[in-house]
Amino acid sequence: MNALRMHVAAIEAKYPLKIVGLLPRGSVGHVFDDNGIEFLAEKRPGLSLLDLAGAEVDLGDLLGRQVGIVLVSGLKGHEAEEFPRLVEPV
């Protein structure tokens, strides 16, 4: 888990977002790899869609698996209530 924290810190330093933690597998619709990892994150000022995509690719490269990142601000309805409770801190 120490390596995971180190890689998350590197991504947070490069992109304007804060990783809140890990989501249960299958939470993010665009991660199709069974070994993929899904994260919940808070966006910081200046985050663009290109930044978010770059963070997914870069973190995936560091971890050697597909990564999906869901922004807290993008959650609606049931997901907005459920996802923050399901997250496992990094």
Side-chain angles (χ1 to χ4, degrees), residues 28-69:
V28 180
H30 64 274
V31 175
F32 302 108
D33 185 341
D34 288 340
N35 292 323
I37 301 176
E38 302 167 346
F39 293 91
L40 184 64
E42 296 173 349
K43 69 179 188 174
R44 293 186 174 148
L47 182 72
S48 69
L49 186 55
L50 194 56
D51 289 332
L52 183 59
E56 287 181 336
V57 169
D58 288 353
L59 187 53
D61 288 347
L62 290 170
L63 297 174
R65 52 179 71 181
Q66 189 177 12
V67 165
I69 299 175

Side-chain angles (χ1 to χ4, degrees), residues 77-90:
H78 174 71
E79 289 178 344
E81 294 176 22
E82 195 67 26
F83 277 22
R85 286 187 281 177
L86 297 175
V87 76
E88 178 185 330
V90 178

Side-chain angles (χ1 to χ4, degrees), residues 1 6 10 17 22 24-26 28 36 43 48 63 65 70-71 76-77 84 88:
M1 194 67 150
M6 183 181 67
L17 53 80
L22 294 164
R25 184 163 285 142
V28 180
K43 69 179 188 174
S48 69
L63 297 174
R65 52 179 71 181
V70 172
L71 296 176
K76 305 284 186 242
E88 178 185 330

